[in-house]
């Protein structure tokens, strides 16, 4: 695995206490920073750690970016395990690697859908709700707009 030299700003984002939002242009190293931060949280390098994978949320916009992030985190975690000399920490990291599939690494849409499925009543939703895909959403919007226009014409509104 190629080691990437991090800038001071990237290191500050990785080791900052509390929640962090990483926003930057394409090719700036966001995925690397997120992967390094994720592993630092697992290892206990950040205040409040160590954490379990399922206690960390890493969210992005596309399925491709989420898959890239998951793969990068696994790579960084594997490298950290290989380099770790402290036996208890190494054991904790090996356990985290085994449960990495439980981590909430997803798109914003999948993350929100998961929360709504876990708490539909609190969100005021029917527990059997379904999320529309892009085509279904466009069709729904078109139908609703058409119905609204027909209703306006019937009422004599010129809106």
């Amino acid at each position: 695995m190629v080691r990437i030299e991090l800038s001071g700003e990237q290191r500050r984002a990785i080791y900052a206490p509390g929640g962090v939002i990483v926003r930057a242009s394409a090719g700036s190293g966001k995925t690397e920073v997120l992967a390094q931060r994720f592993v630092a949280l697992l290892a206990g390098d950040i205040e409040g750690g160590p954490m379990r994978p399922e206690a960390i949320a890493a969210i992005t916009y596309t399925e491709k970016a989420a898959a890239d992030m998951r793969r990068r985190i696994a790579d960084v975690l594997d490298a950290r395990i290989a380099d770790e000399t402290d036996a208890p920490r190494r054991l904790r990291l090996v356990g985290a690697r085994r449960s990495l599939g439980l981590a909430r690494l997803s798109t914003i849409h999948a993350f929100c859908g998961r929360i709504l499925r876990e708490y539909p009543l609190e969100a005021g939703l029917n527990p059997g709700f379904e999320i529309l895909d892009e085509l279904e959403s466009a069709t729904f919007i078109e139908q609703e707009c058409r119905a609204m226009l027909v209703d306006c014409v019937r009422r004599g509104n010129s809106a």
Side-chain angles (χ1 to χ4, degrees), residues 10-31:
Q10 288 172 319
R11 269 192 291 288
R12 284 189 297 280
I14 291 167
Y15 297 105
V20 172
I21 294 174
V22 176
R23 188 182 79 185
S25 61
S28 62
K30 287 184 303 292
T31 303

Side-chain angles (χ1 to χ4, degrees), residues 13-64:
I14 291 167
Y15 297 105
V20 172
I21 294 174
V22 176
R23 188 182 79 185
S25 61
S28 62
K30 287 184 303 292
T31 303
E32 179 67 20
V33 167
L34 288 169
Q36 293 279 348
R37 180 169 178 81
F38 198 98
V39 173
L41 287 165
L42 295 174
D45 297 339
I46 300 172
E47 178 183 314
M51 297 177 76
R52 296 177 329 278
E54 61 271 22
I56 304 169
I59 301 168
T60 189
Y61 288 102
T62 68
E63 292 292 339
K64 180 186 181 307

Side-chain angles (χ1 to χ4, degrees), residues 68-86:
D68 289 346
M69 186 169 37
R70 184 175 295 278
R71 187 171 36 261
R72 188 70 192 117
I73 288 169
D75 290 346
V76 169
L77 185 51
D78 289 343
R80 178 69 184 264
I81 290 167
D83 292 346
E84 187 59 60
T85 57
D86 180 66

Side-chain angles (χ1 to χ4, degrees), residues 28-29 35 41 83 102 106 114 135:
S28 62
L41 287 165
D83 292 346
L102 300 174
S106 66
R114 182 177 181 171
L135 178 61

Side-chain angles (χ1 to χ4, degrees), residues 88-122:
R89 183 177 287 201
R90 185 173 197 284
L91 188 60
R92 185 171 56 248
L93 291 172
V94 167
R97 179 63 173 98
R98 287 187 183 129
S99 62
L100 190 57
L102 300 174
R104 295 173 188 222
L105 307 172
S106 66
T107 64
I108 186 74
H109 297 89
F111 181 77
C112 291
R114 182 177 181 171
I115 290 172
L116 293 174
R117 276 188 279 294
E118 288 177 14
Y119 304 100
L121 300 178
E122 293 85 345

